[in-house]
Amino acid sequence: MITAGIDMGSRSVKVVLLEQINVDSAPQLQYAVKKAHLMMPGELDADQAAERAFSEALAAAGVARDDVKSVFATGAGRKQVAFATEGVTEMTAGAKGAVYMYPNARTVVDVGAEEGRGIKTDAEGKAVDFAGNEKCAAGAGSFAEAMSRALQLTLAEFGEASLKSDRTIPMNAQCTVFAESEVVSLIHSSTPKEDIAKAVLDAVASRVCAMVRRVGIEGEVVLIGGMAHNPGFVKSLKGAMGVDAVSLPDLPEFVSALGCALIAAERQH
Amino acid sequence: MIANYGYKDGSGDYYISIDTDRCIDCAAGRACLTACPKEMFEIITDDYDDEVACIKQANRRSLAYDCADCKPSGGYASLPCTTACTPGALKHSW
């Protein structure tokens, strides 16, 4: 049986095709990811983007549409996935995916392009407490991206640059627009780019951490979402949360889509 | 599940927490729906197929302003929503 999870994020569409498997030598292995596909929609409408991403994933996996038993959608644009069987919230999908990959995970930090959130989960991957920031993107990836543009660095350079700084510069602005003017002020005062990059990522981490603290930090902490690719942010987050280790999936942006596909599979039984 | 709806901004934390375990099978007859003067609550079926209250999407970004009239400065001694919610499922963070 094949199920699909589609995470319609504000910046990209993630599709996971999941196949139920039976391995006699490893009965604990119930599912295998058949294909994980990411598409940046560009100027496409959300519903067109979902359709195209799903079609591309099916073609890449060599799976016929009729072979997919169920399609579940999550993410900010989940309601625009017209062909989805059902939709689940980002909290439910993220918790499910994270616990599937890390069975001891009880705290899930999800930082995508436009929103960050903290989720507390139980051993079955059911969200038991969550907090996000519905108002602004200052605690999310697009904020870091805007600041890297102000510093004329690529996102990869931005993350690496912050690791070279051990200076703490507090950023007071809560809003991306005002924060950018704060960054410009720091540039004009000849503050090294490395220090500014660390200040920005510390600020994002601090805002994300405030949400995580609302739900409480316990058990293994897993960071999912695209910001998990940023090593500077990971370091800042560990510092803000006061934890020694944060588990990082290989493909952190696909964890919610995976959770979605897992829920779709479980509801087939 | 504790569902925190709201945001944090430069002026503070503005979250309304709903303990969905207390909200399921509401003993107060969904009194929150009518107690809130701004009609900010609605009943949804959540991802675990439970019927629970939540804050309407349109209000989640403006709680500081939407709830201001029900705070002591608006003449209320206690919040109408938390008072109406006798199971104690509702909490304001500010």
Side-chain angles (χ1 to χ4, degrees):
Chain A
M1 180 183 71
I2 297 172
T3 57
I6 300 182
D7 180 2
M8 280 292 291
S10 50
R11 178 61 65 86
S12 61
V13 187
K14 285 77 68 178
V15 182
V16 166
L17 297 176
L18 196 69
E19 186 172 27
Q20 190 162 22
I21 54 171
N22 287 308
V23 181
D24 290 339
S25 56
Q28 74 276 17
L29 289 177
Q30 285 184 284
Y31 303 103
V33 172
K34 201 159 177 63
K35 186 69 192 170
H37 180 70
L38 182 140
M39 194 188 82
M40 307 294 277
E43 299 301 315
L44 288 174
D45 286 339
D47 53 349
Q48 287 179 329
E51 177 60 41
R52 204 172 101 187
F54 187 49
S55 299
E56 285 179 6
L58 289 172
V63 173
R65 187 174 281 248
D66 289 345
D67 291 338
V68 180
K69 294 286 176 216
S70 181
V71 181
F72 273 35
T74 189
R78 67 181 180 276
K79 289 177 182 161
Q80 282 145 318
V81 185
F83 55 89
T85 322
E86 217 172 300
V88 293
T89 61
E90 299 92 311
M91 287 68 78
T92 302
K96 191 73 185 176
V99 170
Y100 182 75
M101 297 183 79
Y102 298 92
N104 294 323
R106 295 295 177 268
T107 305
V108 182
V109 186
D110 179 4
V111 189
E114 290 291 337
E115 206 178 328
R117 62 186 67 83
I119 308 161
K120 190 192 276 184
T121 171
D122 65 13
E124 276 74 49
K126 181 182 176 184
V128 292
D129 198 343
F130 70 83
N133 191 335
E134 315 236 13
K135 192 170 185 179
C136 81
S142 59
F143 175 82
E145 197 173 1
M147 297 307 115
S148 71
R149 275 200 301 272
L151 288 175
Q152 298 181 330
L153 296 173
T154 65
L155 261 179
E157 291 168 340
F158 186 70
E160 291 298 331
S162 78
L163 292 173
K164 294 175 187 158
S165 168
D166 52 12
R167 218 175 131 193
T168 300
I169 303 173
M171 285 197 73
N172 299 315
Q174 291 277 337
C175 166
T176 306
V177 177
F178 295 122
E180 187 156 2
S181 77
E182 209 169 325
V183 166
V184 170
S185 297
L186 288 168
I187 293 169
H188 287 170
S189 63
S190 303
T191 307
K193 284 184 177 181
E194 291 80 3
D195 292 346
I196 302 174
K198 181 172 180 291
V200 167
L201 293 173
D202 282 349
V204 177
S206 161
R207 281 159 208 161
V208 170
C209 186
M211 290 180 268
V212 180
R213 287 199 186 285
R214 178 159 287 284
V215 303
I217 301 166
E218 62 179 54
E220 186 176 352
V221 179
V222 180
L223 175 61
I224 65 173
M227 277 294 275
H229 285 298
N230 188 316
F233 174 69
V234 175
K235 186 181 175 193
S236 294
L237 186 68
K238 281 187 204 167
M241 291 174 66
V243 296
D244 295 328
V246 169
S247 300
L248 301 170
D250 287 340
L251 298 170
E253 62 273 49
F254 287 101
V255 176
S256 291
L258 169 67
C260 220
L262 285 165
I263 295 166
E266 286 177 358
R267 293 201 186 166
Q268 286 293 309
H269 297 302
Chain B
M1 178 167 66
I2 312 290
N4 292 283
Y5 298 102
Y7 56 91
K8 173 187 169 71
D9 67 12
S11 62
D13 284 25
Y14 303 99
Y15 286 94
I16 294 179
S17 304
I18 301 178
D19 184 338
T20 59
D21 293 336
R22 294 183 184 201
C23 187
I24 300 165
D25 301 326
C26 176
R30 304 295 186 199
C32 58
L33 296 177
T34 49
C36 175
K38 296 277 173 69
E39 299 179 345
M40 288 173 14
F41 294 92
E42 63 180 344
I43 303 298
I44 57 161
T45 303
D46 71 10
D47 293 335
Y48 306 107
D49 287 336
D50 294 319
E51 282 201 354
V52 293
C54 78
I55 306 294
K56 289 177 183 170
Q57 191 75 43
N59 299 105
R60 292 180 193 174
R61 298 178 176 191
S62 52
L63 293 183
Y65 309 102
D66 291 339
C67 296
D69 289 347
C70 292
K71 295 289 180 180
S73 58
Y76 283 90
S78 63
L79 291 164
C81 59
T82 55
T83 305
C85 181
T86 50
L90 282 178
K91 274 184 194 156
H92 282 219
S93 69
W94 75 109

